[in-house]
């Protein structure tokens, strides 16, 4: 069994959210937007670790490579976004607001 070096705690909010205590962030070398992995042991204990960085999607990578090669081979095909296309995009996103830092809703958890 691992020797305990430091114990710390945090509090759950009404939305089951918590702040990762500073000693834990430092021990796991966590930064903003990093992911945390929870491993539940058979005895009910939970091990928290830094989640491994996701490998890139090979299909998406191939598609992006295809696009890059096509752009290099045929730069004459690259056109700026026309005013009418921009207006169409504006209509599609009108009234849509996204806050990537907002907490999740109960139905999203």
């Amino acid at each position: 069994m691992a020797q305990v070096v430091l114990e710390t705690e945090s509090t759950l909010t009404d939305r089951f959210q918590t702040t990762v205590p500073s000693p834990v962030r430092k021990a796991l070398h966590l930064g903003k937007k990093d992911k945390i992995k929870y491993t539940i042991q058979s005895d009910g204990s939970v091990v928290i670790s830094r989640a491994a960085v996701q490998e890139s999607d090979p299909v998406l990578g191939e598609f992006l490579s295809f696009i890059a090669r096509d752009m290099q081979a045929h730069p004459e095909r690259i056109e700026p976004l026309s005013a009418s296309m921009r207006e169409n995009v504006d209509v599609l996103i009108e009234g849509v607001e996204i806050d990537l830092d907002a907490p999740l809703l109960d139905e999203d958890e």
Side-chain angles (χ1 to χ4, degrees):
M1 176 117 191
Q3 185 179 14
V4 175
V5 177
L6 174 70
E7 287 186 350
T8 187
E9 60 183 48
S10 63
T11 303
L12 286 176
T13 67
D14 292 337
R15 301 184 59 92
F16 297 101
Q17 296 174 334
T18 190
T19 299
V20 178
S22 179
V24 175
R25 292 193 312 267
K26 288 178 183 175
L28 297 178
H29 306 286
L30 293 172
K32 292 182 179 181
K33 306 294 183 183
D34 283 343
K35 294 192 179 285
I36 300 171
K37 177 181 176 182
Y38 299 88
T39 305
I40 302 171
Q41 306 291 324
S42 59
D43 67 356
S45 62
V46 178
V47 175
I48 299 174
S49 57
R50 182 185 177 132
V53 176
Q54 289 277 351
E55 294 297 321
S56 61
D57 182 336
V59 174
L60 181 59
E62 285 298 317
F63 176 71
L64 293 175
S65 294
F66 165 76
I67 296 292
R69 286 190 306 271
D70 188 64
M71 290 171 66
Q72 287 177 339
H74 304 284
E76 71 279 2
R77 294 181 185 168
I78 300 172
E79 297 180 22
L81 192 63
S82 70
S84 65
M85 288 178 75
R86 176 62 190 173
E87 290 170 7
N88 288 340
V89 170
D90 287 341
V91 169
L92 289 172
I93 63 171
E94 185 177 332
V96 176
E97 293 184 27
I98 297 174
D99 181 359
L100 297 177
D101 294 321
L104 293 174
L105 300 174
D106 286 339
E107 60 267 17
D108 295 333
E109 294 186 41

